[in-house]
Amino acid sequence: MGRGFLALILALGAAIGAARAQSCEEDLPAALTNYSGLACTPVWNNFILRYSKDQDDVLSIVLSTTYATGWVGMGFSKDGMMVGSSAMVGWMGKTGIPHIEQYYLGGKSSSEVKLNQGQLLTTSIQPTVVVQKAKIYIAFQLKFSAPITQQKLLFALGTKIPVNKRLTIHDDKTSISFDFSAGTSSAPSSYPSTLKRTHGALAIFGWGVLLPIGAIVARYCRQWDPLWYYLHVVIQFIGFVFGLAAVVAGVALYDKLHANVTAHRGIGIFVLVLGILQVIAFFLRPGKDSKIRKYWNWYHQWAGRLALFFAAVNIVLGIKVGGAGSSWKIGYGFNLAILLIASIVLEVLLWTRWSKRSAAYPTY
């Protein structure tokens, strides 16, 4: 039985290899006469990539895969991420008219995917789409300013036909690093969407919710002494733990994507350093009667405010560079609005209370 099972596995492997080889050996449709002498390699699932490049740095591409309906796309990215890349997308319309368009992927929502705003330079050879024998072929030529070797490529498909050339969300996608000189590619990698959402959620909850609430308690609830102090310490500690977890998730995310998010990373490191310094300051807090206590209070308060300000800036920046959807923007915007309104109201009440106290006990 063991030998039979092994033989079956070997037979299946041979069949898959033969099918892939056969896909590359198949002739291209007659409509693609401008594309000849192409190298061929399977890249992902049923996606077959045919390509060639010439001495003028013109890259010829024919991407094919099994097709029933919907759209198929190939993107060119600087860092392997969807956001900020440009893509050629092809489909067969409901009336049987083929379409191929270039898109700039400015974000993950449909409104941020811009038609005819990509950064790919096509040649005089018109891009073409052909559907034949349950396969779709999207063919195009691109002109580059320098020899193209290693390139981050994105492949995606959607099962819904675009209406008015507006793309629907993809049903599957991958990214690879492809060497057009050697014809080799890295293994298709799944985009770490869950890790990115975790990083964002932890950052918002820690740096954007708990830590500001802890600061509000410290400034506006001192009449309930010593309860305000214990609440402040506990909330800030929990918030810092969540914020630190967000940093750990962010480092893991960067190790997977190597995304070009210099400003986001830099501000994040700066906020983390301020947070660590606040924790250290807590353990070095001088007594109430100490002569340096007022300087410690001044440092602790303003370092905390600075950390919260840059944390809010970085959360907004992270939502932007991460291509988060409208729900993230609305959710954090609502949270920020509530915190700001509460702070303004409490600040007014605090100044009113101080004014009444000054009036009751005038100084001469």
Side-chain angles (χ1 to χ4, degrees), residues 358 361-364:
S358 299
Y361 303 97
T363 57
Y364 297 99

Side-chain angles (χ1 to χ4, degrees), residues 150-161:
Q150 286 283 348
Q151 174 64 49
K152 301 288 186 181
L153 300 179
L154 310 175
F155 299 100
L157 59 90
T159 55
K160 295 182 180 179
I161 297 175

Side-chain angles (χ1 to χ4, degrees), residues 21-337:
Q22 186 178 4
S23 296
C24 279
E25 291 173 0
E26 291 176 354
D27 293 332
L28 290 174
L32 301 180
T33 54
N34 289 320
Y35 300 87
S36 59
L38 305 178
C40 180
T41 181
V43 286
W44 172 59
N45 290 350
N46 295 318
F47 280 56
I48 304 297
L49 178 64
R50 294 176 173 86
Y51 65 94
S52 68
K53 59 177 185 174
D54 62 21
Q55 58 185 7
D56 296 323
D57 301 320
V58 172
L59 181 66
S60 299
I61 293 288
V62 177
L63 180 68
S64 61
T65 187
T66 54
Y67 182 78
T69 187
W71 58 268
V72 172
M74 177 178 176
F76 291 75
S77 173
K78 295 179 181 179
D79 52 17
M81 298 180 68
M82 167 189 164
V83 177
S85 63
S86 301
M88 301 295 294
V89 180
W91 69 92
M92 183 64 71
K94 293 181 179 179
T95 59
I97 299 177
H99 299 269
I100 182 168
E101 304 290 347
Q102 183 177 168
Y103 292 86
Y104 175 71
L105 311 180
K108 293 193 173 181
S109 63
S110 295
S111 62
E112 294 173 305
V113 177
K114 305 296 185 180
L115 174 66
N116 295 328
Q117 293 188 21
Q119 300 172 350
L120 302 175
L121 181 62
T122 57
T123 67
S124 58
I125 303 298
Q126 290 296 317
T128 307
V129 172
V130 177
V131 175
Q132 178 178 292
K133 296 181 180 179
K135 286 187 177 181
I136 187 171
Y137 299 80
I138 61 173
F140 53 92
Q141 287 186 345
L142 302 176
K143 179 71 170 71
F144 291 86
S145 58
I148 181 172
T149 53
Q150 286 283 348
Q151 174 64 49
K152 301 288 186 181
L153 300 179
L154 310 175
F155 299 100
L157 59 90
T159 55
K160 295 182 180 179
I161 297 175
V163 177
N164 297 325
K165 298 183 180 180
R166 188 182 179 92
L167 292 185
T168 56
I169 190 170
H170 48 67
D171 291 278
D172 202 359
K173 67 182 187 308
T174 193
S175 66
I176 66 171
S177 180
F178 191 83
D179 188 338
F180 282 99
S181 297
T184 58
S185 63
S186 63
S189 59
S190 57
Y191 189 81
S193 300
T194 301
L195 181 59
K196 187 171 76 171
R197 285 194 296 268
T198 301
H199 169 63
L202 288 172
I204 290 176
F205 188 62
W207 297 107
V209 177
L210 289 180
L211 289 172
I213 290 175
I216 288 172
V217 168
R219 179 162 179 80
Y220 304 113
C221 300
R222 288 178 177 260
Q223 63 270 33
W224 296 299
D225 190 40
L227 178 61
W228 74 266
Y229 173 76
Y230 296 117
L231 284 175
H232 174 66
V233 171
V234 170
I235 294 173
Q236 298 305 80
F237 176 76
I238 296 174
F240 181 74
V241 169
F242 274 96
L244 187 60
V247 173
V248 173
V251 171
L253 186 63
Y254 180 78
D255 288 341
K256 288 180 176 292
L257 298 178
H258 297 286
N260 184 20
V261 288
T262 305
H264 184 60
R265 291 181 64 218
I267 296 174
I269 293 171
F270 177 64
V271 172
L272 177 63
V273 170
L274 286 177
I276 293 173
L277 290 176
Q278 289 290 75
V279 173
I280 294 174
F282 168 75
F283 290 104
L284 299 178
R285 183 170 62 109
K288 291 183 179 181
D289 298 329
S290 173
K291 294 181 179 180
I292 63 171
R293 177 60 180 262
K294 64 177 182 179
Y295 301 107
W296 183 92
N297 287 340
W298 180 88
Y299 156 78
H300 183 62
Q301 292 167 7
W302 283 102
R305 290 165 186 166
L306 193 65
L308 292 180
F309 172 77
F310 279 101
V313 170
N314 211 31
I315 289 171
V316 173
L317 183 60
I319 290 174
K320 180 180 179 181
V321 299
S326 299
S327 60
W328 287 80
K329 298 175 183 177
I330 295 172
Y332 182 64
F334 180 78
N335 168 76
L336 197 58

